[in-house]
Amino acid sequence: MSRFFVDAWDPAYGASFEAGGGPAAPSSARVEPDHEVPAVDWRAIGPRPGVRAPDVVLLVDGVRRIDASVWTAEDDGGSYPGIAASYAAGVVRCDLERGAAQLAGAKVGRGLFTASPSAQDVVAGSVHYPVHRVGGTGELAKLPAAVQGPLTALEVEVSGAARIDGDLLVVDGPLRNRRQLPRTLGYIKTQHSQYLDARLTAVVTGLAPGERSPVFRLGTAWGGWSWYLRLPVAAGAPWAGIVRVECSAELDVTEAVALADLSLVTLPRFASTPYKDPRAPQNLVPIAGLERRLRALLGDARLLHRVLTAAARPRR
């Protein structure tokens, strides 16, 4: 029998990496690997002397939930699909000097997402689903992606209100349109795309816990500086415990390398353990706690579904 590995993640959450050997889909993005270290000299990089974690780290995340699928009835006899969704964003402030963490802010939003030109806000008592009109034909399968824009805006709002001088902001997921935020990292815990060639990928899969790859540049639509690091993890599959981190393309290479070094002495201390989290070690401990709090803030899904059903009934 050939050698195999068991992914540490609970199967209900998918897999920590795509396919058994790592990211399955080669990316068409242009990759520039020579900025920090020439590609021919790529090697694992450990913590540099004198680099210490910031006193304050802010970790921001968002959650979303579809409360109901809806259909409109247009005057011309047509119909459009829609979703009523709830979403929430929050930020955890981790004071590393005091060893304390607390919720620094959270907000909840709701919306009715549809391409219907006639759709109106849904208001039922204190529950309000304002219309977010989407472009195109508004296929039902594509509507959940429309929630990402308002959710990202909410994440920017709550994290901006919590920032202080000298902190480090870690966004759970790609930075997308948050690249203008200072001292901000995007934290990607599931690897879908193969960005590097086989030789450079071997450097990544050969990382020991607490080591990172050299910084490289991605020429995608959301391009920027990026690097991989391996969190504390027991021996396992080649991509076990590996996350990709990114920062703004507007930074110069020296600033990007400084953030990469900072991430290496900061992120591993938040890594989760398998007996506490089914997505260990990539699902950081403060993020896991924040997700639970945010899902509670969304409200009771069954109650909201009943409220929406009642609001949809014709009035006598």
Side-chain angles (χ1 to χ4, degrees), residues 10-292:
D10 186 322
Y13 292 96
S16 59
F17 44 82
E18 291 296 316
S27 172
S28 60
R30 186 183 73 256
V31 177
E32 302 171 5
D34 299 290
H35 289 276
E36 180 181 8
V37 176
V40 295
D41 296 325
W42 258 47
R43 63 187 182 279
I45 297 174
R48 299 189 193 276
V51 178
R52 59 182 294 271
D55 292 335
V56 174
V57 180
L58 301 174
L59 297 103
V60 62
D61 194 16
V63 299
R64 56 186 175 180
R65 184 187 67 206
I66 297 176
D67 297 329
S69 296
V70 304
W71 293 88
T72 68
E74 305 297 322
D75 292 338
D76 61 2
S79 183
Y80 288 88
I83 57 171
S86 297
Y87 51 94
V91 57
V92 176
R93 173 192 165 101
C94 297
D95 190 325
L96 302 186
E97 192 173 18
R98 294 191 301 113
Q102 63 183 24
L103 183 68
K107 285 196 172 184
V108 176
R110 307 189 199 278
L112 176 62
F113 296 82
T114 180
S116 167
S118 66
Q120 298 179 350
D121 293 3
V122 176
V123 181
S126 61
V127 180
H128 183 202
Y129 288 83
V131 170
H132 293 262
R133 226 169 299 280
V134 302
T137 56
E139 298 97 322
L140 183 60
K142 296 182 179 180
L143 291 177
V147 184
Q148 186 60 51
L151 176 55
T152 298
L154 206 60
E155 290 178 358
V156 172
E157 182 181 347
V158 297
S159 59
R163 300 213 70 172
I164 64 171
D165 291 340
D167 65 10
L168 178 68
L169 178 65
V170 180
V171 173
D172 189 52
L175 287 178
R176 295 190 176 93
N177 58 348
R178 293 166 287 197
R179 295 181 180 277
Q180 77 284 1
L181 302 178
R183 286 174 65 84
T184 300
L185 301 177
Y187 178 83
I188 299 93
K189 54 180 174 276
T190 304
Q191 310 308 317
H192 297 286
S193 298
Q194 179 82 39
Y195 292 112
L196 304 174
D197 63 31
R199 187 175 59 81
L200 300 184
T201 295
V203 174
V204 174
T205 56
L207 294 173
E211 292 182 337
R212 69 170 177 88
S213 75
V215 170
F216 56 95
R217 191 178 180 100
L218 288 175
T220 62
W222 298 105
W225 300 105
S226 193
W227 59 95
Y228 293 96
L229 66 82
R230 194 187 293 270
L231 299 170
V233 65
W239 286 81
I242 288 180
V243 297
R244 185 172 65 84
V245 189
E246 61 183 25
C247 65
S248 173
E250 297 177 3
L251 302 176
D252 62 37
V253 63
T254 302
E255 294 171 313
V257 169
L259 282 175
D261 287 336
L262 196 61
S263 73
L264 194 57
V265 298
T266 303
L267 296 178
R269 66 176 60 203
F270 298 123
S272 52
T273 53
Y275 76 91
K276 288 184 177 181
D277 194 309
R279 288 176 287 172
Q282 289 98 318
N283 200 40
L284 303 180
V285 171
I287 292 293
L290 178 59
E291 287 176 342
R292 290 191 294 270

